[in-house]
Amino acid sequence: RIADMYARKRNVFTENQIFPHLKIEDLNASLFDKVRSRLALTNANHPWLGASNERILRDARFLRRDYATGIEGLTLAAALVFGTDEVIGNILPTYRIDILERRVNVDRWDDRLLLKTNLIDSYLKALAFIKDKWPEKFYQDKNGERKDLRELIFRELVGNIIIHREYNSATTTEVIIYNDRVETTNPNRMRFRGPLDLETFDAEPKNPNIRAF
């Protein structure tokens, strides 16, 4: 409880924790190519398309120097976004995202996706799995353009559970799909307690570098 209280009150983002012995060679090089290929689809002039892996890590602030201690190295965010499954499992052995479909067997599950991999693949696989469990409904926006509501809604849901998770927590991120709703449970570091006023509430990202990435 003392450790939880300290983590909650300290003005430090856990994603910035530096691992001096984690090297670029320990990361999954193919994920950098995946990032470049997806960027090329939307911005053919993006500077990362011709940048080295180290430059991408520095620009994303995943490779940083702690100016209070002088220590420089890859951060927890770097491990989560670009790490191999072995690296992530060694640093965060309890980390996982558990997506359950409970439509018939609500006591257990009908189908399940368990993710313990990097955040890039976790995002893509989780979004695909959830979309696959809901039928596509015809929808047009006010400009007459057809939109996939599943893409709009669940992209936001999956993105938010990644951005706002407290990764040092051993609690599992859960997404549960029922017949009429989707519920999520996500370990977090609360800044305050009490009822939320939707008119004044402003979300605070717990992992700003991962969010920016």
Side-chain angles (χ1 to χ4, degrees):
R1 290 182 179 180
I2 292 174
D4 289 341
M5 182 176 67
Y6 172 75
R8 187 176 71 250
K9 290 181 176 292
R10 65 178 180 168
N11 190 27
V12 175
F13 296 106
T14 53
E15 66 166 6
N16 283 335
Q17 181 181 357
I18 294 175
F19 292 85
H21 298 292
L22 179 63
K23 306 301 180 184
I24 295 178
E25 295 75 30
D26 297 320
L27 305 180
N28 186 344
S30 66
L31 292 173
F32 291 92
D33 295 330
K34 182 176 289 188
V35 168
R36 293 186 184 96
S37 65
R38 296 184 72 85
L39 283 172
L41 297 175
T42 57
N43 184 358
N45 298 314
H46 198 286
W48 284 3
L49 298 182
S52 66
N53 294 351
E54 180 179 345
R55 184 72 265 165
I56 292 175
L57 290 167
R58 289 190 182 276
D59 287 349
R61 295 188 292 278
F62 293 167
L63 174 58
R64 62 183 290 271
R65 176 182 295 174
D66 186 334
Y67 288 96
T69 64
I71 298 175
E72 181 175 277
L74 293 171
T75 64
L76 176 61
L80 284 166
V81 174
F82 290 109
T84 63
D85 291 356
E86 180 182 4
V87 166
I88 295 172
N90 276 303
I91 293 176
L92 296 175
T94 60
Y95 157 70
R96 65 180 186 176
I97 300 173
D98 200 2
I99 306 178
L100 304 170
E101 181 186 20
R102 288 179 176 166
R103 286 196 164 106
V104 178
N105 190 347
V106 294
D107 294 324
R108 291 184 56 81
W109 40 269
D110 308 319
D111 200 0
R112 182 185 193 186
L113 177 66
L114 184 61
L115 298 168
K116 300 180 181 180
T117 192
N118 65 82
L119 297 185
I120 295 173
D121 287 334
S122 291
Y123 172 83
L124 297 172
K125 292 177 180 178
L127 183 58
F129 182 86
I130 298 172
K131 285 177 60 178
D132 183 60
K133 300 303 176 181
W134 289 89
E136 181 180 1
K137 297 292 184 68
F138 181 80
Y139 172 77
Q140 279 186 328
D141 63 16
K142 60 183 179 181
N143 297 320
E145 293 187 31
R146 182 173 179 177
K147 301 287 187 180
D148 186 346
L149 288 177
R150 301 172 305 167
E151 176 76 19
L152 296 174
I153 295 170
F154 295 127
R155 182 177 60 191
E156 188 75 10
L157 182 148
V158 175
N160 272 303
I161 63 175
I162 287 175
I163 290 169
H164 294 293
R165 179 189 164 102
E166 174 53 50
Y167 285 98
N168 277 348
S169 171
T171 305
T172 300
T173 291
E174 283 190 337
V175 180
I176 304 177
I177 302 169
Y178 295 99
N179 277 319
D180 58 345
R181 68 194 187 279
V182 175
E183 294 183 357
T184 64
T185 302
N186 208 33
N188 200 343
R189 183 166 52 148
M190 295 180 292
R191 298 297 190 187
F192 61 89
R193 293 179 181 272
L196 298 179
D197 184 345
L198 295 181
E199 298 297 326
T200 60
F201 176 72
D202 188 17
E204 179 182 340
K206 307 306 183 296
N207 304 288
N209 291 332
I210 293 176
R211 179 192 190 192
F213 177 83

